[in-house]
Amino acid sequence: MESVEKECGALGGLFQAIVNDMKSSYPVWEDFSAKATKLHSQLRTTILAAVAFLDAFQKVADMATNSGGATRDVSSALTRMCMRHRSIETKLRHFTNALMEGLVTPLQDRIEEWKKTANQLDKDHAKEYKRSRQEIKRKSLDTLKLQKKARKGEQN
């Protein structure tokens, strides 16, 4: 019977270690989520600055186009460069949106879910573990009583 109690204790300890690991990882996940949110915010600010810069750059290219003469080659080069940078801006926008919609928001939702689940698992486990230990003790005592009766029966 002692081996059964040892096995139960080992399994209970393992479960408790897993739950404790889950609980101790919350700050790391929350920090990651906060940093990802900050990155998202900074990227949005960067995009706004890039848009303003590219608008001003486009005005320079338009001015070069409208001035005529030898600046036409310069203006077409500036316009091409501006278009290429606008495509980079678009890709950065997609990345920024994906970061928030595909990572930060779902992660924040899951963190709360994980906290609740881990706490509930811990409560349920503690209750079930206590009940099981009591049952094992009761059965061990019953077994000992039956063994004593059997010994007395053999002696008579």
Side-chain angles (χ1 to χ4, degrees):
M1 279 299 167
E2 284 182 28
S3 66
V4 172
E5 286 183 34
K6 285 182 183 177
E7 286 180 29
C8 286
L11 287 174
L14 176 63
F15 183 85
Q16 198 61 46
I18 292 169
V19 170
N20 288 339
D21 286 347
M22 286 174 64
K23 287 181 177 181
S24 68
S25 71
Y26 297 147
V28 175
W29 286 109
E30 287 173 341
D31 182 54
F32 177 75
S33 176
K35 298 296 192 284
T37 301
K38 186 173 182 177
L39 175 64
H40 175 262
S41 174
Q42 293 298 320
L43 287 173
R44 285 182 53 206
T45 303
T46 301
I47 289 169
L48 292 175
V51 166
F53 171 76
L54 291 174
D55 287 345
F57 196 83
Q58 184 65 54
K59 287 178 186 176
V60 170
D62 291 344
M63 182 185 70
T65 301
N66 294 334
S67 69
T71 59
R72 287 203 184 273
D73 292 336
V74 173
S75 70
S76 65
L78 291 175
T79 302
R80 280 194 310 274
M81 189 170 158
C82 188
M83 290 172 52
R84 288 182 185 138
H85 281 82
R86 292 232 187 251
S87 74
I88 293 170
E89 173 218 332
T90 302
K91 289 177 184 173
L92 188 57
R93 271 188 202 277
H94 289 305
F95 171 73
T96 303
N97 290 336
L99 179 68
M100 189 54 119
E101 294 168 6
L103 177 67
V104 175
T105 303
L107 183 62
Q108 288 172 341
D109 293 343
R110 296 287 191 308
I111 288 173
E112 292 305 314
E113 219 176 281
W114 291 339
K115 280 183 181 179
K116 290 176 186 174
T117 302
N119 287 333
Q120 189 60 44
L121 280 172
D122 197 19
K123 287 178 186 176
D124 292 348
H125 173 260
K127 201 183 317 179
E128 186 65 26
Y129 185 71
K130 187 176 179 180
R131 187 191 63 74
S132 296
R133 284 186 59 89
Q134 292 298 324
E135 191 175 320
I136 288 171
K137 284 182 182 179
R138 189 171 33 84
K139 299 240 182 211
S140 294
L141 289 174
D142 290 348
T143 303
L144 288 174
K145 286 179 186 177
L146 289 173
Q147 286 174 347
K148 284 182 183 178
K149 273 188 182 180
R151 283 188 207 131
K152 283 184 183 179
E154 287 176 8
Q155 289 176 356
N156 290 337

